[in-house]
Amino acid sequence: TRTDYALRPGVSESWEKSGVISVYMTVDPDSIKKCDIRQSVDVCGHRFQDAYGNSDFYEIRGWVLFHRHDTLRYKKGVLLERNGEYILFRCPDMYREDTAEAFPKERHAGMSGFIARIDSRVLERDALYTVQPVLIRGRNKIYKGEDACQIRTI
């Protein structure tokens, strides 16, 4: 149920049917830069199934924007860290009317939403991961903020 942002009745969002992500890339810690990133993770947990037939995945959903930069110039991703190793999952964009209203001076703030549905088979079982939304520019420029959350796999 989508309750944390404005709905557009009768309009199917592309992210709703985006499926489960099983492709990721390992990341060199030197390519990650801390910046003035504004972010929030609204959902971070395991899902057994969704309405679109996806099953056994971790859903991470929220928004991320780079203060005083055009959000559309960056791809969104979720960075998971465990024992000093980083893995990156790219995410489809998700429109967020609440973010557009909260940051009216930020260019394209409404397009700051993201959703990652990560196949549970890709992550190590019974492990604790630090989760951060990130912005990606080019092939190896990853920007993150200060805030992070954690998820324990089952």
Side-chain angles (χ1 to χ4, degrees), residues 19-36:
V20 174
I21 304 168
S22 59
V23 176
Y24 63 91
M25 60 185 265
T26 57
V27 175
D28 177 359
D30 292 335
S31 67
I32 304 167
K33 309 214 178 337
K34 285 189 180 178
C35 294
D36 192 7

Side-chain angles (χ1 to χ4, degrees), residues 32-40 64-66 79 130-135 142-149:
I32 304 167
K33 309 214 178 337
K34 285 189 180 178
C35 294
D36 192 7
I37 299 288
R38 312 284 169 93
Q39 65 194 38
S40 176
V64 58
L65 59 86
F66 201 154
L79 188 66
T130 300
V131 178
Q132 284 189 289
V134 295
L135 293 171
I142 300 168
Y143 302 97
K144 70 175 187 172
E146 295 289 329
D147 298 333
C149 63

Side-chain angles (χ1 to χ4, degrees), residues 1-56:
T1 306
R2 300 182 300 176
T3 58
D4 52 343
Y5 49 92
L7 300 176
R8 292 184 267 174
V11 177
S12 179
E13 302 289 345
S14 62
W15 61 265
E16 290 180 300
K17 299 177 188 170
S18 63
V20 174
I21 304 168
S22 59
V23 176
Y24 63 91
M25 60 185 265
T26 57
V27 175
D28 177 359
D30 292 335
S31 67
I32 304 167
K33 309 214 178 337
K34 285 189 180 178
C35 294
D36 192 7
I37 299 288
R38 312 284 169 93
Q39 65 194 38
S40 176
V41 175
D42 305 327
V43 174
C44 187
H46 183 262
R47 302 285 182 256
F48 289 103
Q49 192 168 8
D50 69 7
Y52 301 99
N54 299 309
S55 60
D56 196 19

Side-chain angles (χ1 to χ4, degrees), residues 16-143:
E16 290 180 300
K17 299 177 188 170
S18 63
V20 174
I21 304 168
S22 59
V23 176
Y24 63 91
M25 60 185 265
T26 57
V27 175
D28 177 359
D30 292 335
S31 67
I32 304 167
K33 309 214 178 337
K34 285 189 180 178
C35 294
D36 192 7
I37 299 288
R38 312 284 169 93
Q39 65 194 38
S40 176
V41 175
D42 305 327
V43 174
C44 187
H46 183 262
R47 302 285 182 256
F48 289 103
Q49 192 168 8
D50 69 7
Y52 301 99
N54 299 309
S55 60
D56 196 19
F57 61 95
Y58 294 91
E59 182 173 289
I60 303 165
R61 182 175 10 141
W63 58 267
V64 58
L65 59 86
F66 201 154
H67 184 54
R68 296 191 178 132
H69 289 255
D70 184 352
T71 299
L72 291 180
R73 292 179 169 242
Y74 301 87
K75 299 291 183 189
K76 288 159 206 76
V78 173
L79 188 66
L80 274 65
E81 183 270 333
R82 182 170 180 275
N83 297 331
E85 294 183 6
Y86 294 86
I87 53 176
L88 176 68
F89 297 89
R90 290 185 181 239
C91 306
D93 291 341
M94 188 171 94
Y95 179 75
R96 299 277 305 233
E97 189 169 328
D98 60 337
T99 311
E101 291 172 1
F103 297 97
K105 294 182 180 179
E106 297 289 348
R107 194 163 181 204
H108 297 113
M111 291 306 297
S112 64
F114 69 87
I115 186 166
R117 293 181 175 131
I118 301 169
D119 188 329
S120 66
R121 295 173 291 185
V122 199
L123 304 177
E124 190 171 321
R125 290 193 171 286
D126 194 32
L128 187 64
Y129 288 89
T130 300
V131 178
Q132 284 189 289
V134 295
L135 293 171
I136 307 158
R137 185 100 188 243
R139 295 181 63 186
N140 59 357
K141 293 180 182 173
I142 300 168
Y143 302 97

